[in-house]
Amino acid sequence: MDKFLEKWTFLEERLLIFSLVFNTLLIFTQIIMRGAFNSSLSWSEELSRYVFIWQIWLGADLAYAYHEHIRVEMIYHWLPGPKACRILDILVDVMWLAFNIFLTYKGFDLCQSMASRHTLSSGMRLPLTYVYAALPVASFFLSLRLVYSLYTKLRGGSQDPKEV
């Protein structure tokens, strides 16, 4: 599992870097088109929005990999010791995993609903299933990370490099 998550993290980083560069160039092109040529690309704003949606969801997964999500660390200082902190960490991950499983399941239902209705985007006529798939895909990969994190924590290790 370690190797898979390592490779997935590498791939996800590269994908997010590429999508950020692509989105920046797309928006820059739109600005130049409007400013210099008094014309615009009808599809660029919509595509930029969809790329951004994927960036957000995949970025949440990557943020977990690097322990960069916002936490209320003051609670850990109120707990009586490291064992209580570990138990709280495990409870938080269990709740987060349950929520991600819910998001994966309901996101998959949403994608099926969109596909069955053949819902298309207004400007590009792109099937919205591709846009909404960001939710179940990213939630699934975050669930994998959470399962591995729970496995590691329950075996006595800690994945979090920060000492609380």
Side-chain angles (χ1 to χ4, degrees):
M1 188 71 151
D2 252 347
K3 292 284 186 195
F4 171 76
L5 286 177
E6 202 172 293
K7 287 180 182 181
W8 174 247
T9 301
F10 179 80
L11 178 67
E12 203 171 33
E13 280 179 347
R14 298 308 177 261
L15 181 65
L16 286 170
I17 290 168
F18 171 77
S19 67
L20 180 62
V21 169
F22 174 78
N23 226 8
T24 302
L25 291 174
L26 183 63
I27 293 169
F28 180 73
T29 303
Q30 177 71 344
I31 291 168
I32 297 300
M33 291 291 292
R34 282 186 183 177
F37 303 109
N38 203 19
S39 178
S40 68
L41 305 170
S42 60
W43 49 269
S44 65
E45 290 177 40
E46 189 175 336
L47 179 59
S48 174
R49 188 175 333 126
Y50 297 155
V51 169
F52 189 61
I53 289 168
W54 273 91
Q55 286 174 326
I56 289 168
W57 283 103
L58 289 176
D61 178 40
L62 195 61
Y64 183 81
Y66 289 116
H67 308 284
E68 294 295 329
H69 278 281
I70 296 172
R71 298 168 35 151
V72 181
E73 292 182 0
M74 185 169 42
I75 294 171
Y76 291 91
H77 298 293
W78 292 342
L79 295 175
K83 187 174 182 178
C85 291
R86 190 168 156 260
I87 291 170
L88 179 62
D89 263 349
I90 290 169
L91 286 174
V92 167
D93 279 357
V94 166
M95 288 188 297
W96 202 353
L97 177 61
F99 182 65
N100 270 282
I101 290 170
F102 172 79
L103 287 178
T104 302
Y105 178 73
K106 286 300 185 182
F108 183 71
D109 282 350
L110 179 64
C111 287
Q112 282 184 320
S113 171
M114 291 289 179
S116 68
R117 290 184 281 164
H118 305 291
T119 310
L120 302 174
S121 66
S122 57
M124 295 174 50
R125 310 304 295 163
L126 177 75
L128 284 177
T129 304
Y130 298 138
V131 178
Y132 285 90
L135 173 65
V137 168
S139 296
F140 173 75
F141 282 110
L142 183 51
S143 295
L144 287 180
R145 286 190 198 277
L146 286 162
V147 166
Y148 183 68
S149 174
L150 280 167
Y151 172 76
T152 304
K153 288 174 184 175
L154 289 172
R155 293 197 71 211
S158 175
Q159 274 196 311
D160 196 347
K162 298 175 185 173
E163 294 297 325
V164 183

